[in-house]
Amino acid sequence: MTDPGIPAALRARRRAADRLPPLACGHRDPLYCLAAPPGPSTYGLSRALLAAEVARCRARGWSVADLAARFDTRQAAP
């Protein structure tokens, strides 16, 4: 019996993933893995662009904790 709430394409993907060996993270389907590693990041910005983005977010009212959670603010320092 199939679940009518799950689209056929998703059921087929799950069946295909069950036939594969687990990835290093333990998942069998890469869609279930995190898209990016956890923790602060620079998002590939240069120091100047990162500093500008941190300043923009700070001007919008982001707290220091919010900035530290989202960005590697040490790299944004002049």
Side-chain angles (χ1 to χ4, degrees):
M1 179 175 263
T2 61
D3 183 352
I6 299 175
L10 183 56
R11 286 193 304 269
R13 185 176 182 96
R14 285 184 182 172
R15 284 193 305 270
D18 287 341
R19 294 190 300 264
L20 296 173
L23 301 169
C25 63
H27 295 109
R28 291 181 184 269
D29 189 338
L31 287 181
Y32 293 115
C33 299
L34 293 174
S41 174
T42 62
Y43 296 102
L45 300 175
S46 68
R47 284 182 73 129
L49 289 174
L50 178 61
E53 182 63 16
V54 168
R56 185 185 70 79
C57 292
R58 187 175 289 132
R60 288 183 154 199
W62 286 35
S63 70
V64 174
D66 290 337
L67 291 168
R70 181 63 59 102
F71 302 105
D72 186 353
T73 53
R74 293 170 301 186
Q75 291 187 19

